[in-house]
Amino acid sequence: HRESWASDSSDSVISSSDSEDHVLKVILLGEHGVGKSSLARIFGGIEDSHEAEEAGNTYDRSIIVDGEEACLLVFDIWEQDDSHWLHNQCMKMGDAYIIVYSVTDKASFEKASELRIQLRRERQTEDIPIILVGNKSDLVRSREVSIEEGRACAVVFDCKFIETSAALHHNVKDLFEGIVRQIRLRKDSKED
Ligand code: GDP
Ligand code: MG
């Protein structure tokens, strides 16, 4: 069977066991300054004129993807503190992950690979959706990581890849829709 995501059927159709995984938990990972909070705020529909450098936030929003509603809970908490506990928690709790690097920062790209390896180690038996994101694609002159390098990395790590610009709002919608599609693909193949 297929689950219904339609909001108007929430009382009758979605059983209690379904509603538990009704909200999809998406975790943002990546080095400081790559644009995690910027991407999360765009998702949350917050037009920030002045960036409040907040410790951690979650954004709760429903989006329609391919005609079906999906409820996403996006966690921008990776940098809330540096504790081992928090990072462990993040690695365990996600239904999907967005690993962000900046195309202007090679070190952040290398960090993204580390995070991917860590995630694989932590969730070995599970096939969790991961999207590798090269953000700041608008900064053409200071680019340090080519789109080909990004793509190649995603192939090696068996995950999806997209370049975004939070500054220009480019591909941000596609990113979050892509996450929903990835989660659905896996759900469907489990149910069939
Ligand atoms: P975080 O530390 O990963 O949460 O990164 P932030 O979202 O706080 O962004 C760090 C800095 O990079 C801020 O000054 C943002 O305005 C800037 N920034 C984020 N995304 C982009 C982008 O796509 N293009 C450009 N040019 N700057 C960006
Ligand atoms: Mg941040």
Side-chain angles (χ1 to χ4, degrees):
H1 77 290
R2 294 283 188 281
E3 285 174 21
S4 170
W5 294 87
S7 53
D8 58 350
S9 62
S10 56
D11 298 328
S12 50
V13 177
I14 299 171
S15 71
S16 57
S17 65
D18 278 348
S19 62
E20 242 176 46
D21 49 34
H22 179 58
V23 176
L24 307 169
K25 295 192 284 296
V26 179
I27 321 281
L28 283 154
L29 306 178
E31 207 164 73
H32 179 70
V34 296
K36 298 181 298 301
S37 300
S38 305
L39 292 167
R41 280 195 296 262
I42 293 171
F43 171 77
I46 295 161
E47 290 301 322
D48 52 328
S49 40
H50 301 287
E51 298 165 37
E53 187 61 47
E54 282 163 78
N57 268 309
T58 62
Y59 301 86
D60 181 352
R61 205 182 136 193
S62 293
I63 55 174
I64 306 284
V65 182
D66 304 325
E68 280 184 274
E69 186 182 34
C71 305
L72 293 192
L73 193 53
V74 172
F75 290 83
D76 177 29
I77 58 172
W78 183 248
E79 291 186 87
Q80 196 168 311
D81 64 58
D82 240 344
S83 71
H84 194 60
W85 182 86
L86 175 73
H87 287 179
N88 258 332
Q89 235 9 64
C90 285
M91 290 295 180
K92 287 199 179 96
M93 69 192 280
D95 296 314
Y97 289 85
I98 296 176
I99 303 180
V100 188
Y101 67 90
S102 166
V103 301
T104 65
D105 178 3
K106 193 91 185 185
S108 74
F109 182 57
E110 279 149 19
K111 178 70 186 178
S113 298
E114 271 174 46
L115 288 165
R116 174 67 186 97
I117 291 165
Q118 220 178 312
L119 198 52
R120 176 146 62 190
R121 206 184 298 130
E122 205 61 52
R123 308 280 292 267
Q124 269 175 16
T125 57
E126 297 162 83
D127 179 26
I128 350 159
I130 299 172
I131 299 191
L132 180 67
V133 178
N135 187 45
K136 308 198 185 182
S137 63
D138 58 292
L139 297 177
V140 178
R141 283 160 188 268
S142 42
R143 185 186 273 271
E144 290 181 1
V145 184
S146 71
I147 192 164
E148 289 78 19
E149 285 174 280
R151 259 193 217 118
C153 182
V155 169
V156 170
F157 286 120
D158 188 28
C159 62
K160 290 280 170 187
F161 172 71
I162 193 168
E163 279 199 353
T164 59
S165 166
L168 302 178
H169 287 216
H170 180 249
N171 270 353
V172 179
K173 194 163 169 274
D174 293 55
L175 165 61
F176 288 98
E177 289 180 359
I179 273 285
V180 171
R181 289 197 183 99
Q182 286 303 304
I183 295 171
R184 282 182 186 162
L185 273 175
R186 283 165 175 75
K187 260 202 156 83
D188 286 352
S189 62
K190 266 186 209 156
E191 282 171 12
D192 291 341

